[in-house]
Amino acid sequence: NLILRYRGVISNKTQKENMCLVGSLFSFIVFLSCIIAVCGQGTRIGFYSTTCPDAETIVRTTVTSHFGSDPKIAPGLLRMHFHDCFVQGCDGSVLISGPNTERTAGANLNLRGFEVIDDAKTQLEAACPGVVSCADILTLAARDSIALTKGQSWQVPTGRRDGRVSLATNVNNLPSPSDSVVVQQRKFAAFRLNTRDLVALVGGHTIGTAACGFFMNRIFNTTGNRADPTMDQTFVPDLQRLCPLNGDASTRVDLDFGSGNTFDTSFFNNLSRGRGILQSDHLLWTNPTTRTIVQEFLASKDSFNAQFARSMVRMSNIGVKTGANGEIRRVCSAVN
């Protein structure tokens, strides 16, 4: 009906006016497409449908294979995607190896899953040479990791190109385990991510681990070895056994204690019980604004899953390179 009404108007206008109306109609149709699908900054769902129709299947199969051998790959890929996007945008720059690259920065030394991305890239280059970017592979692999840990899947807009710059000195804005809620909000807002995005994305800690060194100060205070009084005191002995004083600070503990391999709402339940392991996670419960969102997600797994998917799509479009920008790397660990 809209198109017919446009035609009726066009028939009574000059050629110049007609061209304007046709342009408006085209823009309106594009707008509708953005509502029906998901529009990013030059990315779109089904970007490889004709150039490499099996791209998403190849990535999914590769991630599934590696996950079967090591389930810890799932949170590793999710974290890697997060660290990529928060530094110079989602351009696969975290995948580049070599001296002084992002991979050598302190915050990235424990990233894992590079071999999964390399494996998928090798297969994609055999199937569709020079077509699928490493940045898109990482984005798809993060989505597939959630599905493999019993979370909800979603459609991923693709079409990213790979960046050519990877510098350790650029890794300076990643959230820290000691960040207050205000600082976390500021860091997320810098990428146009709001507080709901913040809480949902931090909810990704429902899978994965943290090194003891990141929270030893909470379970062994400097005065009398007392724990943070805001923590569940019945939970502290469990953490102290896993992370003994003067023990190995690199030992890792599930961030979602008791359910660290399943993407669910248990993480938010733990926050409500004073069992948030990282200080930055714990504060999401004590802050009135974020606590309301935590309560919402705790009450509804569907609400959490839906918001997590939306927030992941928003995050995955941070600073993307499309069109003539960037390149399609032949191997993900090096620029062409």
Side-chain angles (χ1 to χ4, degrees), residues 236-278:
V236 171
D238 291 328
L239 293 180
Q240 291 176 334
R241 280 192 294 272
L242 293 168
C243 302
L245 191 63
N246 301 320
D248 185 357
S250 66
T251 299
R252 305 190 70 84
V253 174
D254 285 342
L255 285 165
D256 183 4
F257 204 78
S259 183
N261 295 320
T262 305
F263 196 90
D264 54 23
T265 59
S266 175
F267 172 75
F268 298 114
N269 182 49
N270 277 333
L271 294 188
S272 73
R273 298 169 60 196
R275 294 190 168 204
I277 292 176
L278 299 180

Side-chain angles (χ1 to χ4, degrees), residues 122-291:
T122 298
Q123 296 182 54
L124 285 165
E125 284 299 298
C128 318
V131 174
V132 183
S133 70
C134 299
D136 275 342
I137 295 171
L138 180 52
T139 307
L140 291 166
R143 183 273 309 273
D144 295 337
S145 295
I146 303 304
L148 285 168
T149 50
K150 301 182 181 180
Q152 175 180 298
S153 187
W154 62 89
Q155 290 186 300
V156 174
T158 46
R160 296 164 192 78
R161 289 171 68 84
D162 299 318
R164 299 187 180 96
V165 177
S166 181
L167 296 172
T169 53
N170 288 334
V171 184
N172 53 20
N173 196 46
L174 289 171
S176 163
S178 61
D179 283 346
S180 67
V181 171
V182 171
V183 171
Q184 292 182 71
Q185 288 174 315
R186 174 169 55 79
K187 289 182 177 180
F188 276 71
F191 299 112
R192 299 184 180 180
L193 298 173
N194 59 35
T195 302
R196 286 183 65 80
D197 295 319
L198 162 63
V199 177
L201 292 171
V202 171
H205 285 170
T206 184
I207 56 175
T209 61
C212 292
F214 286 120
F215 58 88
M216 289 288 283
N217 63 318
R218 300 194 69 212
I219 61 175
F220 292 107
N221 197 289
T222 54
T223 57
N225 291 336
R226 295 178 180 176
D228 181 345
T230 64
M231 295 182 72
D232 174 4
Q233 297 302 297
T234 66
F235 177 51
V236 171
D238 291 328
L239 293 180
Q240 291 176 334
R241 280 192 294 272
L242 293 168
C243 302
L245 191 63
N246 301 320
D248 185 357
S250 66
T251 299
R252 305 190 70 84
V253 174
D254 285 342
L255 285 165
D256 183 4
F257 204 78
S259 183
N261 295 320
T262 305
F263 196 90
D264 54 23
T265 59
S266 175
F267 172 75
F268 298 114
N269 182 49
N270 277 333
L271 294 188
S272 73
R273 298 169 60 196
R275 294 190 168 204
I277 292 176
L278 299 180
Q279 177 73 4
S280 55
D281 291 352
H282 170 73
L283 293 176
L284 296 182
W285 179 255
T286 62
N287 179 282
T289 301
T290 52
R291 178 173 180 160

Side-chain angles (χ1 to χ4, degrees), residues 93-98 100-106 108-111 114 118 166 168 171 332-333:
S93 56
V94 74
L95 302 169
I96 298 173
S97 63
N100 303 315
T101 59
E102 291 176 29
R103 286 170 70 161
T104 67
N108 289 336
L109 291 178
N110 291 318
L111 290 182
F114 294 102
D118 291 341
S166 181
V171 184
C332 291
S333 59

Side-chain angles (χ1 to χ4, degrees), residues 22-146:
V22 169
S24 298
L25 177 58
F26 176 77
S27 297
F28 183 74
I29 292 172
V30 170
F31 171 73
L32 285 179
S33 298
C34 288
I35 294 175
I36 295 169
V38 179
C39 282
Q41 300 172 357
T43 60
R44 61 181 173 82
I45 292 169
F47 182 84
Y48 298 112
S49 59
T50 56
T51 56
C52 191
D54 292 330
E56 294 199 26
T57 299
I58 290 172
V59 173
R60 185 182 307 112
T61 301
T62 304
V63 175
T64 301
S65 176
H66 284 267
F67 178 82
S69 303
D70 180 10
K72 295 298 183 184
I73 282 297
L77 291 169
L78 177 61
R79 182 175 177 231
M80 189 192 301
H81 180 45
F82 186 94
H83 282 221
D84 183 42
C85 292
F86 263 61
V87 180
Q88 302 292 96
C90 309
D91 64 351
S93 56
V94 74
L95 302 169
I96 298 173
S97 63
N100 303 315
T101 59
E102 291 176 29
R103 286 170 70 161
T104 67
N108 289 336
L109 291 178
N110 291 318
L111 290 182
R112 58 184 306 179
F114 294 102
E115 70 280 8
V116 181
I117 306 302
D118 291 341
D119 187 0
K121 180 62 173 175
T122 298
Q123 296 182 54
L124 285 165
E125 284 299 298
C128 318
V131 174
V132 183
S133 70
C134 299
D136 275 342
I137 295 171
L138 180 52
T139 307
L140 291 166
R143 183 273 309 273
D144 295 337
S145 295
I146 303 304

